[in-house]
Amino acid sequence: MSRSVLVTGGNRGIGLAIARAFAAQGDQVAITHRGSGAPEGLFGVQCDITDSEQVEAAFAAVEEAQGPVEVLIANAGITDDTLLLRMSEDQFTRVVDTNLTGAYRVAKRASSKMLRKRFGRIVFISSVVGLTGSAGQVNYAASKAGLVGMARSIARELGSRNITANVVAPGFVETDMTAELPESRQKEILAQVPLQRYAQPSEVAGVVTWLASDAGSYVTGAVIPVDGGLGMGH
Ligand code: NDP
């Protein structure tokens, strides 16, 4: 059955791979961007998820184009790394406002319509470092760990209405975000990954589409690592 899907930050990187994977299976897919426009073949809405009014306008536009969002992928996220003692309060709150509060804004807006439909699939894109921690990423890891508590609370609140909420926790994926890391850091990371390579965005997308599919319908409140074994043990 064709679903109405919204992927935040679906204009590039992991979000784009997720959007393409849903589109390839015949779903109606909308993505948010902050000015880049939509990639070919996808319906795009401009939206900064730190702004509730933009979130409201984006959902209204998506609903008009393809009906209420049945599958929400909260993927948009940023990093702003530095050690704790150097991290300004602004650096901390900006990352949390995007990665965690932004996910809350879109999940809340989507869930009102999901409740009415008695169907919904929400997937939050977290990170391996939300569970392991990461030096230099106090803000980012806190925001990504917060998504676990958020998803599990939503799973409990809305489970009786056939709405699932899950977390996908990627390890290192080849995107603009990881391309920014110095080469020495990239080598250190690879040495810790049992599969000895980065993920391709499509390898994250496959798990996300599975969670939203009928095959994943009894999975809720789960944290699924897609990290080549990097975070094993949690
Ligand atoms: P990219 O840096 O390639 O893309 C980030 C996306 O988020 C872009 O679409 C960007 O939009 C969007 N975005 C950022 N801030 C906002 C905002 N305020 N409002 C709306 N959209 C915003 O990241 P990745 O594809 O690598 O990462 C996607 C997700 O996966 C993130 O949540 C990230 O934390 C997570 N992740 C990534 C890993 C990796 O190794 N790459 C590992 C683990 C998790 P725009 O184009 O307008 O800037």
Side-chain angles (χ1 to χ4, degrees):
M1 187 197 295
S2 169
R3 301 268 189 216
S4 170
V5 180
L6 174 62
V7 184
T8 65
N11 55 326
R12 59 191 173 101
I14 295 171
L16 177 57
I18 293 170
R20 292 249 185 258
F22 277 109
Q25 62 185 28
D27 290 312
Q28 291 178 278
V29 185
I31 59 104
T32 71
H33 63 85
R34 288 183 300 171
S36 68
E40 176 128 18
L42 294 170
F43 176 71
V45 284
Q46 190 160 343
C47 176
D48 185 324
I49 58 163
T50 63
D51 180 335
S52 314
E53 283 177 16
Q54 289 190 36
V55 168
E56 175 53 41
F59 270 82
V62 172
E63 283 162 3
E64 198 175 318
Q66 62 185 43
V69 173
E70 298 168 288
V71 178
L72 171 69
I73 315 302
N75 161 81
I78 56 169
T79 52
D80 192 353
D81 300 350
T82 192
L83 295 171
L84 175 61
L85 286 180
R86 293 199 199 118
M87 189 177 285
S88 68
E89 192 166 330
D90 182 56
Q91 276 176 300
F92 184 86
T93 51
R94 201 172 70 88
V95 169
V96 171
D97 191 31
T98 305
N99 299 359
L100 183 59
T101 319
Y104 144 80
R105 290 185 187 97
V106 293
K108 180 178 176 181
R109 179 59 179 76
S111 66
S112 67
K113 294 284 159 69
M114 289 176 175
L115 277 165
R116 245 177 266 168
K117 277 215 140 191
R118 295 191 172 253
F119 178 88
R121 299 282 176 261
I122 305 176
V123 180
F124 296 97
I125 306 301
S126 174
S127 165
V128 62
V129 308
L131 299 176
T132 63
S134 170
Q137 294 196 301
V138 162
N139 49 2
Y140 182 77
S143 71
K144 294 300 188 180
L147 292 174
V148 176
M150 189 186 297
R152 289 182 166 162
S153 302
I154 293 172
R156 289 186 191 281
E157 271 189 39
L158 305 182
S160 65
R161 309 295 176 88
N162 192 24
I163 297 170
T164 65
N166 289 289
V167 171
V168 168
F172 285 82
V173 186
E174 252 183 64
T175 68
D176 297 344
M177 191 177 268
T178 43
E180 279 172 18
L181 292 169
E183 204 171 311
S184 56
R185 180 78 188 113
Q186 299 203 22
K187 280 204 181 123
E188 267 171 36
I189 291 162
L190 281 180
Q192 308 287 320
V193 179
L195 286 182
Q196 295 276 297
R197 63 175 180 85
Y198 278 15
Q200 291 303 311
S202 61
E203 294 177 289
V204 179
V207 176
V208 173
T209 50
W210 177 80
L211 272 172
S213 75
D214 289 346
S217 55
Y218 202 59
V219 180
T220 194
V223 180
I224 304 191
V226 186
D227 64 2
L230 176 60
M232 275 193 294
H234 293 273

